[in-house]
Amino acid sequence: MDTKKILSFLTAVAQNNNRPWFQEHKAEYLEAKESFEEGIRQAIARIAVFDDSIARVSVRDAVYRFYRDTRFSPDKSPYKRHLGAYIAAHGKKSLHGGYYIHLEPGNCMLACGDYYLPTNILTACRNEIMTNEEEWLKCVNNKAFLRLFGKPGGDFEKDKRGFGLALLKTCPAGFPKDYPYIEYLRMKDYCCWRKVDDDFFEGDQWLDSMAEILATAKPMMDFMNRVIDDYE
């Protein structure tokens, strides 16, 4: 994956986010797109080593469109400022958790887990944590997970790593306020993420580095997918 070419194109798009410029530079977009898709093909193969559920996921299944849907957005710029792929066994639009790869100048990232969960499923996830507390803590309170992602409560805009994109300010309704691991019940999603340097995806070693990060997150995701799959 030629990340220098990809990030150079994305930098130019951010500065010239309009259709006339894009049409003049469409060949550069197609080169960046092809390079990114080759990287995702390699990523799928590498992740499948420790998660065979995604072995049949295609690049087309995983990669998001570059063109923005501006119908309901005050931002009418037609193109995204990043390239992203969500590698999930049940597809991009499912609630079943998966692995996310994000390339954006100054904001490259890897993530794993489940997000935008409906309230009823979040309630079921919280109950599952309390019912199987010991198993849950083995997934998220071990040395490797804490080193890579930390505990709930990070700031997505400022921090380099985190567990959860958003937390409730107080205990969710119907749950005990004195629960000793209340921070896990306050989570509004179960997604862990780690921002990486722009040169992370260069060379031959990034696939192994990516695999270490995402494999560490997989037990947490599997725990939640057991619950979520009952609702799909």
Side-chain angles (χ1 to χ4, degrees):
M1 184 158 59
D2 189 341
T3 52
K4 290 181 179 179
K5 178 182 292 185
I6 293 169
L7 295 174
S8 176
F9 171 75
L10 291 173
T11 298
V13 168
Q15 297 168 349
N16 305 275
N17 204 321
N18 59 78
R19 289 183 176 84
W21 181 91
F22 184 82
Q23 290 303 316
E24 291 178 8
H25 296 82
K26 193 164 185 178
E28 296 168 36
Y29 161 67
L30 293 174
E31 289 180 4
K33 178 175 180 285
E34 181 180 4
S35 181
F36 180 70
E37 290 180 348
E38 173 59 21
I40 297 305
R41 184 193 66 77
Q42 295 175 325
I44 292 170
R46 184 64 182 84
I47 294 170
V49 172
F50 62 84
D51 185 351
D52 60 6
S53 74
I54 59 93
R56 295 181 180 274
V57 174
S58 70
V59 170
R60 184 176 181 179
D61 292 333
V63 174
Y64 285 109
R65 295 177 73 252
F66 188 60
Y67 303 89
R68 295 182 65 246
D69 183 352
T70 62
R71 290 175 298 173
F72 307 108
S73 173
D75 178 4
K76 298 302 180 182
S77 53
Y79 311 107
K80 295 177 181 176
R81 295 164 177 80
H82 66 272
L83 289 174
Y86 188 51
I87 303 167
H90 294 191
K92 293 195 295 284
K93 295 183 179 181
S94 70
L95 295 174
H96 182 93
Y99 309 95
Y100 180 62
I101 297 174
H102 181 100
L103 264 68
E104 180 182 1
N107 194 35
C108 294
M109 178 178 61
L110 296 170
C112 175
D114 315 271
Y115 60 106
Y116 296 137
L117 295 173
T119 301
N120 64 321
I121 299 181
L122 269 175
T123 297
C125 290
R126 291 162 178 158
N127 282 322
E128 187 73 9
I129 288 173
M130 294 187 68
T131 302
N132 295 287
E133 178 185 291
E134 184 176 350
E135 180 187 355
W136 173 250
L137 292 176
K138 285 182 180 178
C139 296
V140 301
N141 203 31
N142 63 75
K143 188 177 296 185
F145 189 95
L146 293 173
R147 174 176 61 84
L148 288 171
F149 307 112
K151 290 192 173 186
D155 187 324
F156 183 71
E157 297 299 324
K158 298 178 181 179
D159 295 342
K160 296 284 288 184
R161 62 175 190 168
F163 183 27
L165 300 173
L167 273 72
L168 295 171
K169 293 182 179 180
T170 60
C171 176
F175 288 88
K177 295 180 180 180
D178 60 350
Y179 182 62
Y181 304 105
I182 191 66
E183 66 269 26
Y184 298 117
L185 305 186
R186 290 174 53 219
M187 297 176 72
K188 297 172 68 174
D189 62 86
Y190 292 94
C191 175
C192 55
W193 45 272
R194 187 170 182 90
K195 296 180 181 179
V196 296
D197 294 335
D198 283 0
D199 61 0
F200 176 88
F201 298 96
E202 294 178 9
D204 299 324
Q205 300 301 315
W206 74 270
L207 290 166
D208 289 337
S209 299
M210 173 203 69
E212 177 191 0
I213 292 169
L214 297 181
T216 300
K218 181 179 181 293
M220 179 279 298
M221 181 181 71
D222 290 343
F223 184 101
M224 286 309 177
N225 277 339
R226 286 200 321 249
V227 180
I228 293 165
D229 288 351
D230 288 340
Y231 292 82
E232 287 202 315

